[in-house]
């Protein structure tokens, strides 16, 4: 990134002009990855954001050996089916996103994330069925976490044609643009994006690269070009609005200029990571995105590390939180669910049950 200074009027003009070319109507969610040191390792913060309705998630623990019920992908000749290889805790939004897996962590120290990426929606029409087993977009995160132990393994499987994403099926009967990433405890990251012509592009990097920051728009090559207009070492040069490009810039700034204490306890590391994330990426309710004149908010945030998989769920709408101890789920013999939205709101400790209710089946 360039490292030059601009006056505030110039910053505003550049931001408006640069962002105008990538304006969308849906710009929500962020994900940051940092090094937590030898004890906690790769530490992740990610949010579920949306406009209008509050988001509500459950946790689903999948033991190795159980079959996952795959969603229908009628537009594809070869629907994927899979059995869990690696014990996984999956975080599934059930109120708005039609039971979409947004984040998932497995026992090998790999996690997967999906975020909105609206510029890709115009390329869905050209994303042809290539014959590989097709995974519903609502389950691509589950698939990646349950099937792969490392980023390299996941990328090689994709390049070998072992799976594809069912772009044309969409979510809830509508086609959307998304992008998704996998990250592992070595610090490796891969970002999957749908580009012009329906071409899937896989970007490789690690937590020292720009891939440690993920927002919603524009595509990677365009956000890097946008970032060249700013001095990312100087917070005074960065825009303060809630738009995705601005959140990306602030997320890059904080992850480049702040560090986690490698000797700290997890509760302190978790708290510090939450502060870093909130500084640049948490979206308060009722603010307006100047690039599309819409309002959206951060409803849920997850903080976890890839050494233990331990996760804290924060409900930003009501200020509640709940801890998920990954190790406590490894004894499950069948898929189990926890309604973390309801349990956090009621100030309960997490409790697991068979996935057989309307919200958790």
């Amino acid at each position: 990134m360039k490292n030059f200074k601009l006056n505030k009027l110039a910053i505003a003009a550049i931001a408006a002009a640069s962002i105008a070319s990538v304006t969308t109507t849906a710009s929500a969610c962020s994900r940051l990855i940092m090094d937590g040191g030898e004890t906690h390792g790769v530490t992740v913060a990610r949010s579920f954001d949306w406009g209008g309705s509050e988001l509500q998630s459950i946790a689903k623990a999948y033991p190795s050996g159980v079959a996952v019920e795959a969603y229908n992908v009628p537009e594809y000749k070869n629907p994927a089916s899979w059995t869990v290889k690696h014990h996984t805790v999956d975080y599934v939004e059930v109120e708005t996103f039609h039971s979409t897996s947004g984040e998932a962590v497995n026992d090998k120290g790999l996690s997967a994330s999906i975020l909105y990426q609206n510029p890709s929606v115009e390329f869905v029409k050209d994303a042809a069925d290539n014959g590989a087993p097709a995974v519903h977009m609502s389950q691509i995160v589950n698939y990646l976490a349950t099937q792969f132990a490392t980023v390299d393994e996941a990328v090689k499987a994709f390049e070998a044609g072992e799976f594809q994403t069912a772009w044309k099926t969409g979510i809830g009967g509508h086609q959307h643009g998304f992008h998704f990433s996998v990250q592992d405890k070595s610090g490796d990251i891969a970002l999957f994006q749908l580009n012009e012509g329906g071409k899937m592009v896989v970007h490789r990097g690690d937590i020292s690269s720009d891939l440690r920051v993920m927002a919603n728009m524009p595509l990677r090559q365009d956000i890097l070009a946008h970032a060249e207009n700013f001095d990312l070492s100087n917070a005074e040069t960065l825009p303060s609005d809630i738009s995705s490009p601005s959140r990306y810039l602030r997320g890059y700034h904080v992850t480049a200029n702040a560090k986690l204490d490698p000797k700290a306890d997890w509760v302190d590391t978790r708290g510090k990571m939450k502060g870093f994330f909130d500084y640049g990426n948490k979206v308060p309710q009722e603010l307006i995105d100047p690039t599309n004149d819409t309002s959206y908010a951060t409803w849920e945030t997850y903080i976890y590390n890839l050494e233990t998989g331990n996760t804290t769920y924060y409900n930003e709408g009501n200020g509640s939180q709940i801890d998920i101890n990954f190790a406590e789920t490894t004894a499950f013999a069948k898929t189990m669910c926890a309604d973390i939205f309801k349990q956090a709101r009621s100030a309960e400790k997490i409790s697991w049950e068979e996935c057989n209710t309307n919200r958790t089946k």
Side-chain angles (χ1 to χ4, degrees):
M1 307 298 174
K2 289 182 180 177
N3 194 30
F4 53 84
K5 294 186 178 182
L6 301 169
N7 65 50
K8 293 182 178 180
L9 289 176
I11 292 165
I14 288 173
S18 182
I19 294 173
S21 64
V22 291
T23 296
T24 72
T25 58
S27 303
C29 304
S30 303
R31 191 266 290 135
L32 303 181
I33 305 177
M34 295 185 71
D35 182 3
E38 292 184 7
T39 303
H40 310 301
V42 174
T43 301
V44 182
R46 77 80 38 98
S47 63
F48 289 2
D49 307 349
W50 198 245
S53 58
E54 134 181 277
L55 303 182
Q56 301 181 18
S57 292
I58 65 169
K60 299 184 77 169
Y62 288 87
S64 58
V66 305
V68 177
E69 183 178 353
Y71 298 170
N72 292 330
V73 288
E75 295 82 0
Y76 293 79
K77 295 180 180 180
N78 186 14
S81 60
W82 63 98
T83 298
V84 176
K85 293 181 180 179
H86 309 297
H87 182 91
T88 296
V89 176
D90 190 5
Y91 299 102
V92 183
E93 204 289 319
V94 296
E95 181 69 15
T96 300
F97 290 123
H98 306 276
S99 296
T100 292
S101 299
E103 197 82 4
V105 188
N106 74 22
D107 61 354
K108 302 302 181 185
L110 176 140
S111 70
S113 315
I114 189 170
L115 283 74
Y116 219 83
Q117 175 60 267
N118 198 63
S120 289
V121 72
E122 66 178 293
F123 309 135
V124 171
K125 66 182 185 302
D126 298 317
D129 183 356
N130 63 16
V135 182
H136 195 286
M137 190 63 69
S138 288
Q139 292 184 301
I140 190 63
V141 160
N142 174 284
Y143 180 84
L144 291 165
T146 60
Q147 299 304 294
F148 303 113
T150 66
V151 167
D152 195 54
E153 187 180 320
V155 173
K156 286 180 178 177
F158 175 77
E159 292 175 341
E162 294 182 18
F163 69 94
Q164 65 173 318
T165 44
W167 290 99
K168 293 187 184 299
T169 302
I171 292 177
H174 300 280
Q175 293 179 347
H176 299 272
F178 289 94
H179 58 166
F180 50 93
S181 73
V182 285
Q183 42 276 337
D184 65 33
K185 64 181 181 180
S186 76
D188 285 346
I189 304 170
L191 174 65
F192 296 73
Q193 294 187 323
L194 184 67
N195 276 247
E196 188 173 2
K199 179 183 179 182
M200 282 290 289
V201 177
V202 182
H203 302 282
R204 297 293 300 270
D206 57 28
I207 57 175
S208 66
S209 74
D210 63 280
L211 296 184
R212 69 181 183 270
V213 183
M214 192 175 176
N216 313 106
M217 56 160 275
L219 292 164
R220 186 194 182 208
Q221 60 270 22
D222 298 319
I223 192 61
L224 292 180
H226 175 65
E228 288 290 333
N229 294 307
F230 298 90
D231 176 3
L232 297 182
S233 67
N234 184 356
E236 292 184 0
T237 72
L238 303 181
S240 61
D241 63 89
I242 67 170
S243 70
S244 177
S246 297
R247 282 183 280 116
Y248 175 92
L249 296 175
R250 294 192 298 270
Y252 191 100
H253 169 80
V254 72
T255 55
N257 291 281
K259 294 182 179 180
L260 297 172
D261 183 351
K263 297 181 179 180
D265 292 336
W266 170 241
V267 291
D268 298 313
T269 298
R270 177 191 67 185
K272 195 171 186 180
M273 187 70 177
K274 181 70 160 59
F276 293 160
F277 186 87
D278 290 354
Y279 157 78
N281 295 83
K282 181 179 176 180
V283 180
Q285 296 180 46
E286 299 189 14
L287 292 186
I288 302 297
D289 184 333
T291 69
N292 53 33
D293 201 32
T294 60
S295 177
Y296 47 86
T298 298
W299 294 107
E300 300 177 317
T301 304
Y302 297 82
I303 310 289
Y304 62 90
N305 71 75
L306 292 178
E307 286 298 319
T308 66
N310 290 343
T311 302
T312 298
Y313 162 84
Y314 297 88
N315 186 288
E316 308 290 1
N318 57 44
S320 63
Q321 68 182 70
I322 197 167
D323 293 329
I324 300 95
N325 185 311
F326 189 96
E328 291 178 354
T329 71
T330 58
F332 296 161
K334 62 180 68 175
T335 304
M336 301 288 281
C337 288
D339 194 329
I340 54 177
F341 169 81
K342 287 187 174 180
Q343 291 173 17
R345 186 179 178 89
S346 300
E348 302 172 16
K349 291 186 177 180
I350 194 166
S351 60
W352 298 88
E353 62 181 7
E354 292 189 32
C355 305
N356 57 10
T357 69
N358 288 334
R359 283 170 65 88
T360 62
K361 63 183 179 181

